[in-house]
Amino acid sequence: MKYVDKLRNSGLRPTKQRLQICEVLFNTEKTYHFTINDLALKIKNQLNNKISLATVYNTVHAFEKKGYLKQIPINSNQTYFDTNISDHHHFYDLKEEKLIDLENSDVGPINILKKINGKKIKSVEVLVKLED
Amino acid sequence: MKYVDKLRNSGLRPTKQRLQICEVLFNTEKTYHFTINDLALKIKNQLNNKISLATVYNTVHAFEKKGYLKQIPINSNQTYFDTNISDHHHFYDLKEEKLIDLENSDVGPINILKKINGKKIKSVEVLVKLED
DNA sequence: ACACTTTTTTAGAATCATTATAAACTACCA
DNA sequence: TGGTAGTTTATAATGATTCTAAAAAAGTGT
Ligand SMILES: [Mn+2]
Ligand SMILES: [Mn+2]
Ligand SMILES: [Zn+2]
Ligand SMILES: [Zn+2]
């Protein structure tokens, strides 16, 4: 099992549920932008066993804390997550309500000139909203 | 009353509640970044009459639709609004949970190189997360 | 394998921001 | 002033997320 070590190394027990969620989330080249609801549906369709919604929440949060997922700041009633944990930016298609990756090279360097005393920059994220 | 025309010109009747909310929101030079809860508290403290929570929601959404407020995309369980409707960016102080304006000149031009077929850019927003 | 501890899963309840409802109220216009 | 459309309000409903606590599973040592 390719995800057993990943989980063990993070101090997370490689349970059946976590391994299956790993398969759904990470067993592809493509970035997956999702809400908990998206993921729960995907699990229901891809797997023949059920994982409780509480476990989906628990697992996503555990993975986020370990740095295997990140949250994307967006105005929505649902929280969006991203399997692409590299520093990168996003298009947000307002009509489709879908995120699209923008590589750093698609945006160019962003230089923040203003400084706030005693604070340091943790991340710089660009959100480009798209309309038709 | 300085806000009567503003409201009339937008097709919004200048009710007592809306005028009072205008005072709280716009009667200052400073940008106000707020959640509905922030605003409801400010109203309770500044005014000696009560405005129902439903009206606060209704009014904020009406003002947003008319372009007098904008929403700031951020990961929070509450929606953040901004009285500064110009194109500008934000620091987000993770500890204080407060937004700080970044003028466009504090960030420099952002050039989005990637194009999506049939879509056009509606906005470009930068969120800079700050930690201690 | 067994006993024991710790972590995890789970169904269901609780929370809480937000939206919907519908009746009372108000602004506006003829 | 009367009529009408728009607005406010208390309250209920919704829905994403978190909490609870009991059952199940995983890890550890023997
Ligand atoms: Mn959110
Ligand atoms: Mn939000
Ligand atoms: Zn992404
Ligand atoms: Zn601002």
Side-chain angles (χ1 to χ4, degrees):
Chain A
M1 294 300 174
K2 63 203 278 202
Y3 298 113
V4 171
D5 292 338
K6 178 176 181 157
L7 291 172
R8 280 239 173 74
N9 293 337
S10 314
L12 297 173
R13 290 183 180 176
T15 63
K16 179 177 149 205
Q17 290 85 348
R18 284 176 178 159
L19 289 168
Q20 288 184 324
I21 293 174
C22 279
E23 293 286 338
V24 173
L25 287 177
F26 305 123
N27 199 19
T28 168
E29 292 304 302
K30 286 207 325 229
T31 291
Y32 181 37
H33 298 114
F34 64 98
T35 64
I36 297 286
N37 188 52
D38 293 334
L39 177 57
L41 286 173
K42 204 171 186 199
I43 286 169
K44 186 150 65 173
N45 294 334
Q46 268 179 42
L47 272 42
N48 39 27
N49 59 308
K50 179 177 179 289
I51 297 179
S52 86
L53 187 58
T55 298
V56 179
Y57 273 96
N58 289 341
T59 302
V60 166
H61 287 134
F63 287 1
E64 188 204 4
K65 185 172 288 182
K66 296 301 180 180
Y68 302 137
L69 291 173
K70 59 177 201 175
Q71 257 185 271
I72 306 300
I74 213 172
N75 284 125
S76 167
N77 55 329
Q78 302 189 114
T79 303
Y80 277 75
F81 294 89
D82 193 340
T83 57
N84 180 350
I85 56 174
S86 75
D87 276 331
H88 68 287
H89 308 298
H90 293 92
F91 281 132
Y92 184 61
D93 185 326
L94 292 163
K95 163 92 79 63
E96 307 284 340
E97 295 187 322
K98 285 273 171 274
L99 287 163
I100 302 166
D101 273 350
L102 273 168
E103 297 309 319
N104 265 325
S105 61
D106 294 327
V107 177
I110 294 171
N111 202 13
I112 308 297
L113 305 174
K114 189 173 182 176
K115 303 291 173 208
I116 302 286
N117 219 302
K119 302 283 178 180
K120 54 175 194 287
I121 290 174
K122 189 187 185 193
S123 67
V124 176
E125 292 166 89
V126 180
L127 184 68
V128 182
K129 290 184 183 162
L130 294 178
E131 61 190 349
D132 291 306
Chain B
M1 296 303 171
K2 60 202 284 201
Y3 298 113
V4 171
D5 292 338
K6 176 174 181 157
L7 291 172
R8 280 237 174 73
N9 293 337
S10 315
L12 297 173
R13 290 185 180 173
T15 63
K16 177 177 150 207
Q17 290 86 346
R18 283 176 179 158
L19 289 168
Q20 289 184 322
I21 293 174
C22 278
E23 294 285 339
V24 173
L25 287 178
F26 306 123
N27 200 19
T28 168
E29 293 303 302
K30 286 209 323 230
T31 291
Y32 181 38
H33 298 113
F34 65 97
T35 64
I36 297 286
N37 188 54
D38 293 333
L39 177 57
L41 285 173
K42 204 171 186 198
I43 287 169
K44 185 150 66 171
N45 293 335
Q46 267 177 42
L47 272 42
N48 39 27
N49 59 310
K50 178 176 180 291
I51 297 179
S52 86
L53 187 58
T55 298
V56 179
Y57 272 96
N58 289 341
T59 302
V60 166
H61 286 135
F63 288 0
E64 189 203 3
K65 186 173 286 182
K66 296 301 180 182
Y68 302 136
L69 290 173
K70 61 177 200 175
Q71 258 186 267
I72 305 300
I74 213 171
N75 283 124
S76 167
N77 54 327
Q78 295 178 227
T79 303
Y80 276 76
F81 295 89
D82 194 340
T83 57
N84 180 350
I85 56 175
S86 75
D87 276 331
H88 68 287
H89 309 295
H90 293 92
F91 281 131
Y92 184 60
D93 185 326
L94 292 163
K95 162 94 77 67
E96 307 284 340
E97 295 188 324
K98 285 274 172 273
L99 287 162
I100 302 166
D101 273 350
L102 272 169
E103 298 308 319
N104 264 325
S105 61
D106 295 326
V107 176
I110 294 170
N111 201 15
I112 308 296
L113 305 174
K114 189 173 181 177
K115 303 292 174 210
I116 302 286
N117 219 302
K119 301 285 178 181
K120 54 176 194 287
I121 290 173
K122 190 187 185 193
S123 66
V124 176
E125 292 166 88
V126 180
L127 183 68
V128 181
K129 290 184 182 161
L130 294 179
E131 60 189 351
D132 291 305

